[in-house]
Amino acid sequence: MSDVSRLHTVVCDMLGCEIPILLAGMGGVARSELAIAIARAGGFPTLGMVRESPQLIASEVAAYRRGSDRPFAVNLIPAATDRDLLTAQMETCLELGVAIFSFFWDVFPEAVAHAKRAGCTVLHQVGTLESARDAEAAGADILIAQGVEAGGHVHGRTGTFTLGAALIGKTELPVVLSGGITTGTQFAEALELGACGIQCGTAFLATHEAFAHDYHKQRLIDASAEDTVLTDAFVLNWPAGAAVRVLKNSVTKALGATLIGHDPSGIRHEIIAHDEGIPRLLQSTDSPLRTTIGELERMPLYAGMGVGTIREIGDAGDRLQQFCVGATEALRAQPESIPSRRSIAWKS
């Protein structure tokens, strides 16, 4: 184990982890097995439960707790979830004693307030300064600045480090950077910028513990940054205009230059796969999981622009340790420790 003392930030204190590396709440992919591996390695785990049933949430929380007693978050996305289901999800989480929520996409103040009234810590991923301001006003405790390099759903159009620098200059809430970060050197750069940690998806998707299909994982390790594209063609199940970063496939290639501007109401529903008997539609946001069978190539294969640095499917704990080794080596020449940000006032 590398010396991680210089990687410690206020986020570690707030979330109860040793290393300020957060597992992104990847829907369908970030389940208990991956979350346990991240927790055991000292990072902070998130269960990706977007639009999942209360029953699956309860099952995954129980499975996580059988493997780890460390704190964890449940990721929910109010903007992409039916109101009744969202209420049931949150109530289930609170009944189970979930103490940390991670939200994404548009800020729903009532969801944040609901969690805060229950005494929970709230992380909110944002893609713009306006959304960051809204999240802080709603009561979020930690902001995750997501850059356009990120895989999966992408909320803004600004680069990760550019957005992070602007946000750190505007708020004194702890800021975590997310999007295209796959190396320890980038982790160190984020800390040097003043961020309190990083959140990673793609790097942990290409691991044995991720619930993604092996086909998806293999495509990731074979890809480079130039193989990703930002499009809203995979939009069924989400609000119109919700863009995603995916690996190019036959669907994106058929679009030509028309990658943005797809209205979900005009998309024909064509079943191309099944997941434990549940049909998956062409141009839906459903990526292939371990349990998926069908035309996997035509499904969205989420990937951030850091894919070119990932060349093998490994263990999640080993990959997190690689981040730490790379970061500590990069920071070794730096004269002082990383700044911790604790206050919560928005700078005018």
Side-chain angles (χ1 to χ4, degrees):
M1 171 70 75
S2 61
D3 177 13
V4 298
S5 61
R6 295 200 62 194
L7 305 180
H8 187 94
T9 72
V10 66
V11 159
C12 299
D13 301 326
M14 294 175 70
L15 300 181
C17 58
E18 299 169 10
I19 301 161
I21 298 178
L22 284 58
L23 170 64
M26 299 174 285
V29 173
R31 293 195 180 179
S32 54
E33 184 180 351
L34 180 55
I36 289 167
I38 295 300
R40 289 178 175 175
F44 182 74
T46 305
L47 295 173
M49 293 288 108
V50 55
R51 290 195 312 279
E52 300 290 9
S53 69
Q55 293 76 20
L56 181 63
I57 291 174
S59 175
E60 286 298 306
V61 168
Y64 174 82
R65 285 175 170 159
R66 286 194 295 270
S68 175
D69 61 359
R70 299 196 175 205
F72 66 97
V74 170
N75 177 253
L76 302 176
I77 304 181
T81 306
D82 175 82
R83 295 282 75 74
D84 290 341
L85 176 57
L86 178 66
T87 298
Q89 288 178 323
M90 293 196 67
E91 288 304 322
T92 296
C93 288
L94 295 175
E95 290 170 3
L96 292 169
V98 172
I100 305 173
F101 283 89
S102 175
F103 296 121
F104 181 35
W105 216 249
D106 298 337
V107 178
F108 277 55
E110 60 271 27
V112 177
H114 191 177
K116 295 299 293 180
R117 284 194 299 269
C120 299
T121 297
V122 173
L123 299 86
H124 210 300
Q125 181 167 287
V126 300
T128 66
L129 292 179
E130 180 181 5
S131 291
R133 188 187 296 272
D134 290 344
E136 183 168 338
D141 300 289
I142 296 171
L143 298 176
I144 302 171
Q146 185 206 45
V148 72
E149 301 96 328
H153 283 92
V154 179
H155 198 224
R157 298 294 181 270
T158 306
T160 300
F161 283 83
T162 300
L163 176 63
L167 183 51
I168 290 167
K170 283 287 185 181
T171 183
E172 292 185 2
L173 277 184
V175 175
V176 171
L177 300 194
S178 181
I181 299 175
T182 56
T183 70
T185 299
Q186 291 171 309
F187 180 19
E189 290 171 352
L191 296 177
E192 290 174 319
L193 185 69
C196 290
I198 59 173
Q199 178 178 268
C200 302
T202 302
F204 295 128
L205 196 159
T207 63
H208 299 300
E209 297 90 344
F211 204 73
H213 196 284
D214 285 345
Y215 173 76
H216 191 171
K217 298 177 186 181
Q218 188 63 44
R219 286 287 308 275
L220 282 178
I221 65 173
D222 290 340
S224 68
E226 295 179 349
D227 293 320
T228 74
V229 64
L230 190 68
T231 178
D232 64 1
F234 299 101
V235 70
L236 297 181
N237 305 333
W238 269 64
V244 294
R245 185 171 297 283
V246 296
L247 295 176
K248 297 174 183 176
N249 66 1
S250 59
V251 176
T252 62
K253 290 175 182 176
L255 296 174
T258 313
L259 294 171
I260 300 293
H262 299 273
D263 184 348
S265 66
I267 296 175
R268 180 171 61 91
H269 287 197
E270 176 187 348
I271 297 174
I272 61 170
H274 288 82
D275 198 325
E276 296 186 315
I278 300 172
R280 298 306 187 197
L281 302 177
L282 180 66
Q283 293 185 248
S284 79
T285 61
D286 297 302
S287 64
L289 306 179
R290 290 179 185 173
T291 48
T292 307
I293 57 173
E295 299 181 63
L296 307 183
E297 191 277 337
R298 300 174 75 192
M299 299 179 76
L301 302 177
Y302 298 128
M305 294 184 72
V307 290
T309 67
I310 303 170
R311 284 290 165 254
E312 63 180 3
I313 300 169
D315 293 330
D318 291 342
R319 186 145 293 156
L320 191 145
Q321 179 62 17
Q322 291 166 10
F323 272 105
C324 294
V325 170
T328 52
E329 289 178 353
L331 291 170
R332 190 166 290 133
Q334 300 302 318
E336 198 43 73
S337 60
I338 300 303
S340 293
R341 306 174 66 84
R342 294 179 178 272
S343 58
I344 58 173
W346 186 275
K347 295 179 181 178
S348 59

